[in-house]
Amino acid sequence: MTSRRRFLAGLAAASLAPTQGWAAVGAPDYLAAALFPDGSHRLVGLMADGSILFSLILPARGHAAAAHPHRPQAVAFARRPGTFAVIIDCTTGAQTAALNAPDGRHFYGHGAFSQDGTRLFTTENDYEAGEGVIGVWETAQYTRLGEFPSGGTGPHDIRLMADGKTLVIANGGIETHPDTGRTKLNLPVMQPNLTYLDLDGSMLEQAELPPGLRQNSIRHLAVRPDGLIGFATQWQGQTIEHPPLLGLHRPGDEIRLLSAPNAYQSRLQGYAGSIAFSGDGASVAITCPRGNALHQFRVEDGQLIGAFELDDVCGLGTGGDGFVYTTGTGAVGTLGATVKTSALQDCQWDNQLIPVGRPA
Amino acid sequence: MRAVLLACALMTPLPATAQNRGPILTDVVEGHILPGYARLSKATGALSSAAQGDCAATSPELRAAYHAAFDRWITVSHLRFGPSETDNRAFALAFWPDTKGFTPKALSGLIAVRDSAVETPEGFAETSVAGRGLFALEMMLYDPAFMETEDEPYQCALVQAIAVDINHNANAIDADWVLYASQITKPGGQSAFRSDSEAVQELYKALVTGLEFTANTRLGRLLGALDRPRPKRAEARRSERSLRHVELSLIALRDLAARLSADHPEIDTDLAKAFEKAIDRAQRLDDPGLAGIATPQGRLRVEALQQSINDIRSVATSDLGPTLGINAGFNALDGD
C-alpha cells in the first residue's frame, strides 16, 4: 500500500509541478550525443528545428541515451563494451548518479524506462556465458534490482511498447567478449531474434529472420503507437549480397522485410544505423551512414518512396508528420514532403536520436 | 508528388571514381588468391590420402600432412569472401574461436551414437560445422580425450571422414575461385562488384580484418584480464601451432598489403617496415603454443607483438585506406 501511495503522490507531483519536468529545460524534442570541435563528447537537448537547447559534457563517447518519461533526466550509456552509464540532470548538467554494470556484465548502449518512470531496463552481456540479459534498475537511487535473460545473444536496442506492459528487444545475435573488444566471436552460428518480454522478464513471443538471413544482425528498433515494430539490421555475411536491412513485425504475425531495388540497396554496404516511423505513421525509414543514404518506405505496401543521398546520415527520429535526421557532418534536417536541412551545427552528431516525452 | 520526388532522388548520379585499379586487382587475384587456394587444395589432397593410409592419431605421416594443410589454410584464412563463404565452407574448414566448446560436443555426439554420417562425404557434410574441419581433426589427433576411444574402427572412420571433408571443401573453394576471379578482375558488367573501387575495397577489407583477427582474436583472447590470462584459448594449442598461425598470417597479409599499395611506394615502404617489426617479434617469441602468456614476462612479449600488429593496421587505415577510397565518416565507422 505504501508504495502505491508513494507512487500516486509521485504522479501528482509530476503533474502539479511541471517545472520539475522536461519543461524546465525547455522541453527538448530529442536527446543526441555529439562530438564537438573542442574534442568533448556532449549530450545535447535538440529541437526538431535543429536548434540546441543545451549541451552537457559526457565523460566519453556514448552510444545511445534514454530519457526519463517525466523527470528531466537522461541516462547516457558508454559505447559497448562499456560498464558504466551516467544519469544526468538536464536542468543543471550535473551527473546525479551512475550505473555500474555488475561483475561479468557490460552494457550494450541502450535502455528503456517503464511508463511510470520507476524502472530502467538495460541491455547487457553476460559475457562468460555469451548470453544476453536485461538489467533492472530502480530510478530513485538507480540501484540494481535484478536481471533476466534477454532471449538471445547480443541484445542491443530495447523499447517499451505503447501498452506499457511489453518490452521489445533486438537480440543482435553476435557474441563478443570484452577481452577482444568488438571482435565477433560466433559468426558461423549467430542467430538474431526479436524478443517480446513482459516487465518481469517472462517470454511473450520471439520472431526470427528466415534461415538465409541468419547473419543479418537485428540492432535498432522503432515502435509505432499501435504496436507495429520496425527494426534495422546490419549484415554480417558477404559484401556482394545486399539483403533487406529493414523489417516490420507485429506480435502474432510473420516478419515483413523491406528492401529498395537492387541498384539502391547495393549501395548501402549492408549497414543500417537507425530507424523511425514517420509522425503520421504511414511510412518508415532507415539511415545508412556507410551508403550515405536515407531510405523511406510506405508501411502499407512496403514500397520504397524516397531514397536520399545524405553524407554520413545516422540519427533518425519521428518529427512532425515525417522525420528528423542528423548527420556526422553536423546537419539536422527534416524529411516531410521533401528533405530539408534545418540547421548545420558545429559538431558531429553521433548515431542515435532519442525522442523525449513520447514513445518511439 | 511522392512518385516525382522518388524519381528525382533516384536519378542522383553515383559519385564518379574513375581510377584504374585493374592491374592491382589482377595482381592480387593471380599472385595472391589463386595460388594460395591452389596450394591449400593440394595440401588437403595429401591430408586426405594420408588419413586413408594411416588413420592412427599418432601417425607421423598423418600429423605431418595435418600441419602442412593447416599452414596452407592460415595463409588464405583472411580471404573471407566469395567461394570460401559459399555453403559455409570456410567455417566448416576452421570453426574457431569455439567459445562454447561446440567442437568437442559435436565430436562426442558423433562418437556416442556411432553416427553413420561418417560413411559418406555427403552425409558428413550435413553434420555440424563445429565437428568438421582442421580444428576437429586437431582434437582427434592431439587431445587425449579423443586420441583413443573404445571403438577404434569408428574413430578411424571419423578421422578419415574429417580429412575427406576438408579436402572436399578446399577443392570446392579452389575450383570456384577460378570461375569467381573475373568478378574481381572485371568489375562492372556481370560482376557483383560495380566498380574497381568496390572490388579493391573488398581486398582492403580482407587485409584490415585479417590484421584485426590476428591481433584481437589470435592474441587478444589470450590476454584476458591482467590477473587472469587465458592460455587455453590459444588457437590450435594442442598441436602447438598458435604462434605459427600468427607468423603465417602476418606473412600472407604482408604479401597482400604490398600488392594493394603497389601505386604508392611510400605507403608500401611504411607497411613493409611495420610488418617486418611484427614478424620479427613473432619469430623471436619461441613459444609455439603461447603458453608463456601465463607469466608476466610472456604477457609483456605477447602484448608487444599485438601492439606491433595494431601499428600495421594504423598505417593501413590512415594511409592506405584513403588511397583506395574508403568511406571514413564518423557514423560510418562506428559499427553499432
Short mmCIF file of all heavy atoms in Angstrom, two decimals, chain A residues 112-172:
data_model
loop_
_atom_site.label_atom_id
_atom_site.label_comp_id
_atom_site.label_asym_id
_atom_site.label_seq_id
_atom_site.Cartn_x
_atom_site.Cartn_y
_atom_site.Cartn_z
N ALA A 112 15.61 1.37 -21.60
CA ALA A 112 14.24 1.86 -21.71
C ALA A 112 13.65 1.99 -20.32
O ALA A 112 13.89 1.15 -19.45
CB ALA A 112 13.40 0.89 -22.55
N PHE A 113 12.89 3.07 -20.12
CA PHE A 113 12.20 3.27 -18.85
C PHE A 113 10.81 2.65 -18.90
O PHE A 113 10.21 2.55 -19.98
CB PHE A 113 12.04 4.77 -18.57
CG PHE A 113 13.29 5.44 -18.09
CD1 PHE A 113 14.14 6.08 -18.99
CD2 PHE A 113 13.60 5.45 -16.73
CE1 PHE A 113 15.29 6.71 -18.54
CE2 PHE A 113 14.76 6.08 -16.29
CZ PHE A 113 15.60 6.71 -17.18
N SER A 114 10.31 2.28 -17.71
CA SER A 114 8.90 1.89 -17.62
C SER A 114 8.05 3.16 -17.80
O SER A 114 8.55 4.28 -17.67
CB SER A 114 8.62 1.23 -16.27
OG SER A 114 8.90 2.15 -15.23
N GLN A 115 6.75 2.96 -18.07
CA GLN A 115 5.89 4.10 -18.34
C GLN A 115 5.83 5.06 -17.15
O GLN A 115 5.79 6.28 -17.33
CB GLN A 115 4.48 3.59 -18.66
CG GLN A 115 3.78 4.37 -19.74
CD GLN A 115 2.63 3.55 -20.35
OE1 GLN A 115 1.91 2.83 -19.64
NE2 GLN A 115 2.47 3.66 -21.65
N ASP A 116 5.82 4.51 -15.93
CA ASP A 116 5.74 5.37 -14.75
C ASP A 116 7.10 5.92 -14.34
O ASP A 116 7.19 6.69 -13.39
CB ASP A 116 5.08 4.61 -13.58
CG ASP A 116 5.91 3.40 -13.14
OD1 ASP A 116 7.07 3.27 -13.58
OD2 ASP A 116 5.39 2.59 -12.36
N GLY A 117 8.12 5.51 -15.04
CA GLY A 117 9.45 6.05 -14.77
C GLY A 117 10.14 5.46 -13.55
O GLY A 117 11.22 5.92 -13.17
N THR A 118 9.59 4.45 -12.94
CA THR A 118 10.20 3.91 -11.72
C THR A 118 11.23 2.82 -12.01
O THR A 118 11.97 2.42 -11.12
CB THR A 118 9.14 3.30 -10.77
OG1 THR A 118 8.50 2.20 -11.44
CG2 THR A 118 8.09 4.34 -10.39
N ARG A 119 11.26 2.32 -13.23
CA ARG A 119 12.20 1.26 -13.57
C ARG A 119 12.95 1.62 -14.85
O ARG A 119 12.39 2.23 -15.77
CB ARG A 119 11.46 -0.06 -13.84
CG ARG A 119 10.76 -0.65 -12.64
CD ARG A 119 11.74 -1.25 -11.64
NE ARG A 119 11.05 -1.83 -10.49
CZ ARG A 119 10.69 -1.14 -9.41
NH1 ARG A 119 10.93 0.16 -9.34
NH2 ARG A 119 10.07 -1.74 -8.41
N LEU A 120 14.20 1.20 -14.86
CA LEU A 120 15.01 1.32 -16.07
C LEU A 120 15.48 -0.07 -16.46
O LEU A 120 15.92 -0.84 -15.60
CB LEU A 120 16.22 2.23 -15.82
CG LEU A 120 17.26 2.29 -16.94
CD1 LEU A 120 16.70 3.02 -18.17
CD2 LEU A 120 18.54 2.99 -16.47
N PHE A 121 15.37 -0.40 -17.74
CA PHE A 121 15.79 -1.71 -18.25
C PHE A 121 16.97 -1.49 -19.19
O PHE A 121 16.89 -0.64 -20.09
CB PHE A 121 14.64 -2.40 -18.99
CG PHE A 121 13.41 -2.59 -18.13
CD1 PHE A 121 12.39 -1.65 -18.13
CD2 PHE A 121 13.29 -3.71 -17.30
CE1 PHE A 121 11.27 -1.81 -17.33
CE2 PHE A 121 12.17 -3.88 -16.49
CZ PHE A 121 11.15 -2.93 -16.50
N THR A 122 18.05 -2.25 -19.00
CA THR A 122 19.26 -2.04 -19.80
C THR A 122 19.69 -3.32 -20.49
O THR A 122 19.63 -4.41 -19.89
CB THR A 122 20.41 -1.55 -18.89
OG1 THR A 122 20.58 -2.46 -17.80
CG2 THR A 122 20.11 -0.17 -18.34
N THR A 123 20.13 -3.22 -21.73
CA THR A 123 20.63 -4.40 -22.43
C THR A 123 22.09 -4.65 -22.03
O THR A 123 22.90 -3.73 -22.02
CB THR A 123 20.55 -4.23 -23.95
OG1 THR A 123 21.16 -2.98 -24.31
CG2 THR A 123 19.11 -4.25 -24.43
N GLU A 124 22.39 -5.89 -21.70
CA GLU A 124 23.71 -6.23 -21.17
C GLU A 124 24.19 -7.58 -21.69
O GLU A 124 23.40 -8.40 -22.14
CB GLU A 124 23.65 -6.29 -19.62
CG GLU A 124 23.20 -4.98 -19.00
CD GLU A 124 22.97 -5.07 -17.50
OE1 GLU A 124 23.30 -6.11 -16.90
OE2 GLU A 124 22.46 -4.09 -16.94
N ASN A 125 25.49 -7.76 -21.57
CA ASN A 125 26.13 -9.01 -22.00
C ASN A 125 26.61 -9.79 -20.79
O ASN A 125 27.40 -9.28 -19.99
CB ASN A 125 27.33 -8.67 -22.90
CG ASN A 125 27.97 -9.89 -23.54
OD1 ASN A 125 27.46 -11.01 -23.43
ND2 ASN A 125 29.08 -9.68 -24.23
N ASP A 126 26.12 -11.01 -20.61
CA ASP A 126 26.72 -11.95 -19.65
C ASP A 126 27.82 -12.63 -20.46
O ASP A 126 27.60 -13.65 -21.10
CB ASP A 126 25.66 -12.95 -19.18
CG ASP A 126 26.26 -14.07 -18.33
OD1 ASP A 126 27.49 -14.08 -18.13
OD2 ASP A 126 25.49 -14.93 -17.88
N TYR A 127 29.02 -12.03 -20.45
CA TYR A 127 29.99 -12.39 -21.49
C TYR A 127 30.70 -13.71 -21.27
O TYR A 127 31.23 -14.28 -22.23
CB TYR A 127 30.98 -11.25 -21.75
CG TYR A 127 31.62 -10.63 -20.53
CD1 TYR A 127 32.66 -11.26 -19.87
CD2 TYR A 127 31.20 -9.39 -20.07
CE1 TYR A 127 33.27 -10.66 -18.78
CE2 TYR A 127 31.80 -8.79 -18.98
CZ TYR A 127 32.83 -9.43 -18.33
OH TYR A 127 33.44 -8.84 -17.25
N GLU A 128 30.74 -14.21 -20.06
CA GLU A 128 31.35 -15.54 -19.92
C GLU A 128 30.42 -16.61 -20.51
O GLU A 128 30.85 -17.59 -21.09
CB GLU A 128 31.68 -15.86 -18.46
CG GLU A 128 32.80 -14.98 -17.88
CD GLU A 128 34.11 -15.02 -18.66
OE1 GLU A 128 34.37 -16.02 -19.36
OE2 GLU A 128 34.86 -14.03 -18.60
N ALA A 129 29.12 -16.39 -20.32
CA ALA A 129 28.16 -17.34 -20.88
C ALA A 129 27.84 -17.03 -22.34
O ALA A 129 27.31 -17.88 -23.06
CB ALA A 129 26.87 -17.32 -20.07
N GLY A 130 28.17 -15.80 -22.78
CA GLY A 130 27.82 -15.41 -24.15
C GLY A 130 26.32 -15.27 -24.35
O GLY A 130 25.81 -15.50 -25.44
N GLU A 131 25.60 -14.87 -23.29
CA GLU A 131 24.15 -14.73 -23.37
C GLU A 131 23.74 -13.31 -22.99
O GLU A 131 24.37 -12.68 -22.13
CB GLU A 131 23.47 -15.72 -22.42
CG GLU A 131 23.74 -17.19 -22.71
CD GLU A 131 23.15 -17.64 -24.04
OE1 GLU A 131 22.22 -16.97 -24.53
OE2 GLU A 131 23.63 -18.64 -24.60
N GLY A 132 22.66 -12.84 -23.58
CA GLY A 132 22.17 -11.50 -23.27
C GLY A 132 21.31 -11.49 -22.03
O GLY A 132 20.58 -12.44 -21.76
N VAL A 133 21.40 -10.39 -21.28
CA VAL A 133 20.50 -10.21 -20.14
C VAL A 133 19.95 -8.78 -20.17
O VAL A 133 20.52 -7.89 -20.80
CB VAL A 133 21.17 -10.47 -18.77
CG1 VAL A 133 21.68 -11.90 -18.66
CG2 VAL A 133 22.29 -9.48 -18.51
N ILE A 134 18.82 -8.61 -19.48
CA ILE A 134 18.25 -7.29 -19.27
C ILE A 134 18.41 -6.95 -17.80
O ILE A 134 17.91 -7.67 -16.93
CB ILE A 134 16.74 -7.27 -19.65
CG1 ILE A 134 16.53 -7.75 -21.09
CG2 ILE A 134 16.16 -5.87 -19.44
CD1 ILE A 134 17.25 -6.94 -22.15
N GLY A 135 19.15 -5.87 -17.52
CA GLY A 135 19.31 -5.42 -16.14
C GLY A 135 18.11 -4.58 -15.74
O GLY A 135 17.59 -3.81 -16.56
N VAL A 136 17.68 -4.71 -14.50
CA VAL A 136 16.54 -3.94 -14.00
C VAL A 136 17.04 -3.04 -12.87
O VAL A 136 17.68 -3.52 -11.93
CB VAL A 136 15.43 -4.88 -13.47
CG1 VAL A 136 14.19 -4.06 -13.08
CG2 VAL A 136 15.07 -5.94 -14.50
N TRP A 137 16.74 -1.75 -12.98
CA TRP A 137 17.20 -0.76 -12.00
C TRP A 137 16.02 0.05 -11.51
O TRP A 137 15.12 0.37 -12.30
CB TRP A 137 18.21 0.19 -12.65
CG TRP A 137 19.31 -0.47 -13.42
CD1 TRP A 137 19.21 -1.06 -14.65
CD2 TRP A 137 20.67 -0.62 -13.03
NE1 TRP A 137 20.43 -1.56 -15.05
CE2 TRP A 137 21.35 -1.30 -14.06
CE3 TRP A 137 21.41 -0.23 -11.89
CZ2 TRP A 137 22.71 -1.62 -14.01
CZ3 TRP A 137 22.76 -0.53 -11.84
CH2 TRP A 137 23.40 -1.23 -12.89
N GLU A 138 16.02 0.39 -10.19
CA GLU A 138 15.01 1.35 -9.75
C GLU A 138 15.58 2.74 -10.04
O GLU A 138 16.80 2.90 -10.20
CB GLU A 138 14.65 1.12 -8.27
CG GLU A 138 15.79 1.21 -7.28
CD GLU A 138 16.16 2.64 -6.97
OE1 GLU A 138 15.27 3.51 -7.07
OE2 GLU A 138 17.34 2.88 -6.64
N THR A 139 14.73 3.75 -10.09
CA THR A 139 15.21 5.03 -10.61
C THR A 139 15.26 6.14 -9.56
O THR A 139 15.45 7.30 -9.91
CB THR A 139 14.33 5.50 -11.78
OG1 THR A 139 13.00 5.71 -11.29
CG2 THR A 139 14.31 4.48 -12.90
N ALA A 140 15.05 5.80 -8.26
CA ALA A 140 15.21 6.83 -7.23
C ALA A 140 16.70 7.03 -6.96
O ALA A 140 17.23 8.14 -7.05
CB ALA A 140 14.47 6.42 -5.96
N GLN A 141 17.38 5.90 -6.69
CA GLN A 141 18.83 5.96 -6.46
C GLN A 141 19.59 5.27 -7.59
O GLN A 141 20.81 5.24 -7.58
CB GLN A 141 19.17 5.23 -5.14
CG GLN A 141 18.35 5.67 -3.94
CD GLN A 141 18.63 7.11 -3.57
OE1 GLN A 141 19.76 7.56 -3.67
NE2 GLN A 141 17.59 7.84 -3.16
N TYR A 142 18.86 4.70 -8.52
CA TYR A 142 19.46 3.91 -9.61
C TYR A 142 20.29 2.75 -9.07
O TYR A 142 21.46 2.57 -9.39
CB TYR A 142 20.26 4.79 -10.56
CG TYR A 142 19.33 5.61 -11.45
CD1 TYR A 142 18.99 6.91 -11.10
CD2 TYR A 142 18.77 5.05 -12.58
CE1 TYR A 142 18.11 7.66 -11.88
CE2 TYR A 142 17.88 5.79 -13.37
CZ TYR A 142 17.56 7.08 -13.02
OH TYR A 142 16.70 7.79 -13.78
N THR A 143 19.67 1.98 -8.17
CA THR A 143 20.32 0.75 -7.72
C THR A 143 19.74 -0.41 -8.52
O THR A 143 18.62 -0.34 -9.03
CB THR A 143 20.08 0.50 -6.22
OG1 THR A 143 18.68 0.55 -5.97
CG2 THR A 143 20.79 1.53 -5.38
N ARG A 144 20.54 -1.47 -8.60
CA ARG A 144 20.14 -2.61 -9.42
C ARG A 144 19.19 -3.51 -8.62
O ARG A 144 19.46 -3.85 -7.47
CB ARG A 144 21.37 -3.40 -9.84
CG ARG A 144 21.08 -4.47 -10.89
CD ARG A 144 22.38 -5.18 -11.24
NE ARG A 144 22.24 -6.17 -12.29
CZ ARG A 144 22.28 -5.92 -13.59
NH1 ARG A 144 22.42 -4.67 -14.00
NH2 ARG A 144 22.19 -6.88 -14.48
N LEU A 145 18.10 -3.89 -9.26
CA LEU A 145 17.13 -4.76 -8.61
C LEU A 145 17.34 -6.21 -9.03
O LEU A 145 17.04 -7.12 -8.28
CB LEU A 145 15.71 -4.33 -8.97
CG LEU A 145 15.33 -2.90 -8.53
CD1 LEU A 145 13.94 -2.54 -9.04
CD2 LEU A 145 15.39 -2.78 -7.01
N GLY A 146 17.80 -6.41 -10.24
CA GLY A 146 17.99 -7.78 -10.71
C GLY A 146 18.17 -7.81 -12.21
O GLY A 146 18.48 -6.78 -12.83
N GLU A 147 17.99 -8.97 -12.80
CA GLU A 147 18.15 -9.12 -14.24
C GLU A 147 17.37 -10.34 -14.70
O GLU A 147 16.98 -11.18 -13.90
CB GLU A 147 19.62 -9.28 -14.61
CG GLU A 147 20.25 -10.57 -14.06
CD GLU A 147 21.73 -10.70 -14.42
OE1 GLU A 147 22.45 -9.68 -14.45
OE2 GLU A 147 22.15 -11.85 -14.68
N PHE A 148 17.10 -10.40 -16.01
CA PHE A 148 16.50 -11.60 -16.59
C PHE A 148 17.05 -11.80 -18.00
O PHE A 148 17.61 -10.85 -18.57
CB PHE A 148 14.97 -11.55 -16.57
CG PHE A 148 14.34 -10.24 -16.98
CD1 PHE A 148 14.28 -9.85 -18.30
CD2 PHE A 148 13.74 -9.42 -16.01
CE1 PHE A 148 13.67 -8.66 -18.67
CE2 PHE A 148 13.13 -8.21 -16.38
CZ PHE A 148 13.09 -7.83 -17.71
N PRO A 149 16.94 -13.02 -18.53
CA PRO A 149 17.51 -13.28 -19.86
C PRO A 149 16.84 -12.43 -20.94
O PRO A 149 15.63 -12.18 -20.88
CB PRO A 149 17.23 -14.76 -20.10
CG PRO A 149 16.97 -15.35 -18.75
CD PRO A 149 16.37 -14.26 -17.93
N SER A 150 17.64 -12.00 -21.92
CA SER A 150 17.09 -11.18 -23.00
C SER A 150 16.45 -12.03 -24.09
O SER A 150 15.82 -11.51 -25.00
CB SER A 150 18.18 -10.31 -23.62
OG SER A 150 19.04 -11.11 -24.43
N GLY A 151 16.66 -13.33 -24.03
CA GLY A 151 16.08 -14.21 -25.04
C GLY A 151 17.02 -14.46 -26.21
O GLY A 151 16.60 -15.01 -27.23
N GLY A 152 18.28 -14.06 -26.07
CA GLY A 152 19.22 -14.29 -27.17
C GLY A 152 20.59 -13.78 -26.82
O GLY A 152 20.88 -13.43 -25.67
N THR A 153 21.45 -13.71 -27.84
CA THR A 153 22.82 -13.22 -27.67
C THR A 153 22.90 -11.80 -28.20
O THR A 153 22.22 -11.46 -29.16
CB THR A 153 23.77 -14.14 -28.45
OG1 THR A 153 23.69 -15.46 -27.90
CG2 THR A 153 25.21 -13.67 -28.36
N GLY A 154 23.72 -10.97 -27.56
CA GLY A 154 23.97 -9.63 -28.08
C GLY A 154 22.76 -8.71 -28.15
O GLY A 154 22.51 -8.10 -29.19
N PRO A 155 21.99 -8.56 -27.05
CA PRO A 155 20.84 -7.64 -27.10
C PRO A 155 21.33 -6.21 -27.30
O PRO A 155 22.27 -5.79 -26.62
CB PRO A 155 20.18 -7.82 -25.73
CG PRO A 155 21.29 -8.27 -24.82
CD PRO A 155 22.19 -9.12 -25.69
N HIS A 156 20.75 -5.49 -28.22
CA HIS A 156 21.23 -4.14 -28.48
C HIS A 156 20.16 -3.11 -28.08
O HIS A 156 20.13 -2.67 -26.96
CB HIS A 156 21.67 -4.03 -29.95
CG HIS A 156 22.52 -2.83 -30.19
ND1 HIS A 156 23.83 -2.76 -29.78
CD2 HIS A 156 22.24 -1.63 -30.75
CE1 HIS A 156 24.32 -1.57 -30.09
NE2 HIS A 156 23.37 -0.87 -30.68
N ASP A 157 19.24 -2.80 -28.97
CA ASP A 157 18.21 -1.82 -28.63
C ASP A 157 17.10 -2.50 -27.82
O ASP A 157 16.87 -3.71 -27.93
CB ASP A 157 17.63 -1.24 -29.93
CG ASP A 157 17.02 0.14 -29.73
OD1 ASP A 157 16.89 0.59 -28.57
OD2 ASP A 157 16.68 0.78 -30.75
N ILE A 158 16.43 -1.69 -27.01
CA ILE A 158 15.28 -2.17 -26.23
C ILE A 158 14.26 -1.03 -26.18
O ILE A 158 14.65 0.14 -26.04
CB ILE A 158 15.71 -2.59 -24.80
CG1 ILE A 158 14.51 -3.04 -23.97
CG2 ILE A 158 16.45 -1.47 -24.07
CD1 ILE A 158 14.91 -3.69 -22.63
N ARG A 159 13.00 -1.35 -26.37
CA ARG A 159 11.96 -0.31 -26.30
C ARG A 159 10.78 -0.83 -25.50
O ARG A 159 10.50 -2.04 -25.48
CB ARG A 159 11.46 0.06 -27.71
CG ARG A 159 12.51 0.62 -28.64
CD ARG A 159 13.02 1.98 -28.18
NE ARG A 159 14.15 2.41 -28.99
CZ ARG A 159 14.09 3.43 -29.86
NH1 ARG A 159 12.98 4.11 -30.00
NH2 ARG A 159 15.16 3.74 -30.56
N LEU A 160 10.08 0.11 -24.89
CA LEU A 160 8.82 -0.21 -24.23
C LEU A 160 7.71 0.00 -25.26
O LEU A 160 7.65 1.03 -25.93
CB LEU A 160 8.61 0.73 -23.04
CG LEU A 160 7.34 0.48 -22.23
CD1 LEU A 160 7.44 -0.81 -21.42
CD2 LEU A 160 7.07 1.67 -21.29
N MET A 161 6.83 -1.00 -25.39
CA MET A 161 5.72 -0.87 -26.34
C MET A 161 4.68 0.09 -25.76
O MET A 161 4.66 0.36 -24.57
CB MET A 161 5.09 -2.24 -26.59
CG MET A 161 6.09 -3.29 -27.02
SD MET A 161 6.14 -3.61 -28.78
CE MET A 161 4.54 -4.30 -29.08
N ALA A 162 3.80 0.57 -26.64
CA ALA A 162 2.84 1.59 -26.23
C ALA A 162 1.87 1.08 -25.17
O ALA A 162 1.28 1.88 -24.44
CB ALA A 162 2.07 2.09 -27.45
N ASP A 163 1.73 -0.24 -25.04
CA ASP A 163 0.84 -0.77 -23.99
C ASP A 163 1.44 -0.61 -22.59
O ASP A 163 0.75 -0.83 -21.59
CB ASP A 163 0.50 -2.25 -24.25
CG ASP A 163 1.73 -3.16 -24.16
OD1 ASP A 163 2.82 -2.68 -23.77
OD2 ASP A 163 1.60 -4.36 -24.49
N GLY A 164 2.70 -0.21 -22.54
CA GLY A 164 3.35 -0.01 -21.25
C GLY A 164 3.66 -1.30 -20.51
O GLY A 164 4.22 -1.28 -19.42
N LYS A 165 3.34 -2.44 -21.11
CA LYS A 165 3.49 -3.72 -20.41
C LYS A 165 4.49 -4.65 -21.09
O LYS A 165 4.78 -5.72 -20.58
CB LYS A 165 2.13 -4.43 -20.34
CG LYS A 165 1.11 -3.68 -19.48
CD LYS A 165 -0.17 -4.47 -19.29
CE LYS A 165 -0.99 -4.46 -20.56
NZ LYS A 165 -2.40 -4.88 -20.36
N THR A 166 4.94 -4.26 -22.27
CA THR A 166 5.77 -5.17 -23.05
C THR A 166 7.08 -4.50 -23.44
O THR A 166 7.08 -3.36 -23.91
CB THR A 166 5.03 -5.57 -24.35
OG1 THR A 166 3.72 -6.02 -24.00
CG2 THR A 166 5.77 -6.66 -25.09
N LEU A 167 8.17 -5.24 -23.25
CA LEU A 167 9.48 -4.79 -23.73
C LEU A 167 9.77 -5.53 -25.03
O LEU A 167 9.54 -6.73 -25.14
CB LEU A 167 10.57 -5.13 -22.71
CG LEU A 167 10.52 -4.37 -21.39
CD1 LEU A 167 11.47 -5.02 -20.38
CD2 LEU A 167 10.90 -2.90 -21.59
N VAL A 168 10.27 -4.80 -26.02
CA VAL A 168 10.73 -5.47 -27.24
C VAL A 168 12.24 -5.28 -27.32
O VAL A 168 12.75 -4.19 -27.08
CB VAL A 168 9.99 -4.96 -28.50
CG1 VAL A 168 10.11 -3.46 -28.66
CG2 VAL A 168 10.50 -5.69 -29.75
N ILE A 169 12.94 -6.36 -27.62
CA ILE A 169 14.40 -6.38 -27.57
C ILE A 169 14.96 -6.89 -28.89
O ILE A 169 14.51 -7.90 -29.43
CB ILE A 169 14.89 -7.30 -26.42
CG1 ILE A 169 14.44 -6.71 -25.08
CG2 ILE A 169 16.39 -7.46 -26.43
CD1 ILE A 169 14.06 -7.73 -24.07
N ALA A 170 15.95 -6.16 -29.39
CA ALA A 170 16.66 -6.60 -30.59
C ALA A 170 17.88 -7.40 -30.15
O ALA A 170 18.88 -6.83 -29.74
CB ALA A 170 17.10 -5.38 -31.41
N ASN A 171 17.78 -8.73 -30.19
CA ASN A 171 18.94 -9.58 -29.89
C ASN A 171 19.74 -9.72 -31.18
O ASN A 171 19.37 -10.47 -32.08
CB ASN A 171 18.49 -10.95 -29.37
CG ASN A 171 18.00 -10.89 -27.93
OD1 ASN A 171 18.73 -10.45 -27.04
ND2 ASN A 171 16.77 -11.31 -27.70
N GLY A 172 20.85 -8.98 -31.24
CA GLY A 172 21.62 -8.92 -32.48
C GLY A 172 22.24 -10.24 -32.90
O GLY A 172 22.58 -10.44 -34.06
#
